[in-house]
Amino acid sequence: MNRLPVLFIIVLASGLATWAAQQLQRLPLQKKRIELKSPSSWSKRIVKIDPRTKEEVYYDPNPRIELADARAGKYYLKWIGYDGKEKVVVYQRPDCIDVIVSASTTKSASGTYEYEYTIQNLATSGDYLNGFAVQNFSSTISPKRPSKVNDVIVGDMTSGPYAVDSKEGNWIRFATVPPHPKVHPGQIVRFKLYSPSPPGLVRCGADGGSRVMKGVGEEMPEELEASLDILGYEAWPSGYTVGPVDSLKTFSQSDRAEYVLKLLPQFQKLGWMTQSSSRWYKQNLNRADLETVYRHATQDFKAGHITSEVIAIIEGMKNQQ
């Protein structure tokens, strides 16, 4: 597949929600509310060898974590250094942002689906959006990875719970880099993927703020560093969106009806579908009346009863006939 450009746009979010999204209420990416605590125990550190006794002299590093800025998710990592002075490093949580993700698809005459993701860094966020990751189950994805297009880094994720795994699909990460401006609270950014595979329900995640910690000339106590492990990839705000899924290409009519039928409770929970619409689709999908479903979905989307994600999946099923 030819390499296609990644589109990204940062604009003020106010007033840009579509009328369909206004009638519904997309669920923000969810956080696990992980509490960061000081180490409960630690080892003393060797400060020197006594020249007279030749014995090791130890001291207490007293490692601890103190909240610096709750909204920005920043903490002071403190300990006593080898020189007897207090050392301080600033650490920022990856879940310092509040994010809503919306997605839409279009299919070209050549059969390629364009997936556009709009990531809204809400005004309630404590800092800028650092990056966005989306799952897929497709063997063919564009743009090429790793690559840098228009100040956007696009790459495969190979570690953490978003690792490339046969059971969990593949994960692609987008991140804007300088000189591109940061996506601050109240702004949005858009990214695009391309694939011949139709849209299905996939997971996504985002992180905010900076992962860089300014050094102080010595390593922090390992117990203090270990306390941060709980705020790895699994701490990212996460949720669902649509993405390429190879297996949907081979679904029969009954398979397609069953696939959407099983997703109805999830659609409603995510704020992608009204309760009354969910009841209607359940009734008609149980009869496997897909032609009626396809026609009704178009009307429902225009009326604001389903979001762009739902119409993408339903129209993707229609295109496989």
Side-chain angles (χ1 to χ4, degrees):
M1 178 182 294
N2 293 330
R3 174 174 162 179
L4 295 173
V6 179
L7 170 69
F8 67 97
I9 306 172
I10 295 182
V11 292
L12 292 178
S14 58
L16 291 179
T18 64
W19 50 268
Q22 289 171 351
Q23 292 187 28
L24 297 166
Q25 187 67 48
R26 282 186 177 87
L27 191 69
L29 298 187
Q30 299 296 289
K31 302 180 183 181
K32 293 184 178 179
R33 301 183 183 278
I34 300 172
E35 184 179 358
L36 199 57
K37 298 180 179 180
S38 298
S40 58
S41 62
W42 56 89
S43 301
K44 291 185 177 182
R45 304 175 72 169
I46 300 174
V47 64
K48 65 179 180 179
I49 303 297
D50 188 306
R52 184 178 61 83
T53 64
K54 306 301 181 184
E55 293 182 351
E56 297 172 337
V57 179
Y58 293 87
Y59 78 102
D60 186 353
N62 189 26
R64 59 201 184 279
I65 299 174
E66 297 178 4
L67 182 63
D69 186 333
R71 181 176 180 182
K74 291 184 177 181
Y75 294 80
Y76 294 130
L77 309 180
K78 296 182 176 182
W79 72 96
I80 304 302
Y82 290 109
D83 57 4
K85 298 180 180 179
E86 184 178 69
K87 308 299 179 183
V88 182
V89 170
V90 177
Y91 169 79
Q92 187 167 32
R93 304 171 63 108
D95 58 356
C96 63
I97 53 173
D98 299 320
V99 176
I100 289 180
V101 175
S102 58
S104 61
T105 65
T106 55
K107 188 178 182 182
S108 69
S110 64
T112 298
Y113 285 91
E114 175 188 274
Y115 292 82
E116 182 176 82
Y117 300 97
T118 300
I119 298 87
Q120 182 179 359
N121 190 16
L122 300 178
T124 54
S125 289
D127 213 329
Y128 65 91
L129 175 77
N130 188 47
F132 169 71
V134 63
Q135 185 185 40
N136 74 87
F137 296 86
S138 176
S139 56
T140 307
I141 295 285
S142 181
K144 180 181 178 181
R145 301 169 310 284
S147 63
K148 179 181 177 182
V149 184
N150 297 331
D151 300 325
V152 174
I153 296 293
V154 187
D156 292 310
M157 298 190 70
T158 57
S159 62
Y162 296 152
V164 175
D165 181 89
S166 59
K167 294 181 180 180
E168 297 299 330
N170 308 305
W171 284 83
I172 295 176
R173 174 172 165 80
F174 297 90
T176 60
V177 293
H180 197 281
K182 295 177 179 178
V183 187
H184 291 290
Q187 296 181 325
I188 68 173
V189 62
R190 294 190 179 105
F191 304 111
K192 284 187 178 181
L193 288 180
Y194 301 86
S195 174
S197 302
L201 188 70
V202 300
R203 293 193 62 84
C204 64
D207 67 308
S210 175
R211 304 280 74 77
V212 178
M213 292 185 285
K214 185 177 179 181
V216 292
E218 66 175 69
E219 296 293 328
M220 71 177 69
E222 59 183 18
E223 295 89 354
L224 191 57
E225 188 172 3
S227 297
L228 308 179
D229 290 345
I230 59 173
L231 288 174
Y233 290 116
E234 59 274 11
W236 286 21
S238 63
Y240 291 88
T241 186
V242 293
V245 179
D246 277 342
S247 62
L248 296 178
K249 294 179 181 179
T250 59
F251 273 24
S252 66
Q253 179 167 310
S254 60
D255 289 337
R256 293 196 293 271
E258 184 178 359
Y259 180 76
V260 179
L261 187 62
K262 288 182 177 179
L263 292 179
L264 293 180
Q266 188 81 331
F267 289 164
Q268 190 176 337
K269 180 179 179 181
L270 292 169
W272 294 358
M273 177 179 283
T274 63
Q275 185 176 7
S276 59
S277 288
S278 181
R279 289 195 297 266
W280 186 94
Y281 286 103
K282 182 177 182 180
Q283 180 180 0
N284 286 273
L285 287 168
N286 274 320
R287 295 201 297 260
D289 186 1
L290 292 185
E291 289 302 325
T292 299
V293 168
Y294 298 146
R295 291 193 300 269
H296 190 81
T298 300
Q299 299 171 359
D300 258 3
F301 179 61
K302 291 180 179 179
H305 299 153
I306 60 176
T307 64
S308 54
E309 290 84 359
V310 177
I311 192 69
I313 291 176
I314 293 177
E315 288 188 342
M317 296 295 185
K318 180 181 180 180
N319 292 331
Q320 302 310 307
Q321 295 187 110

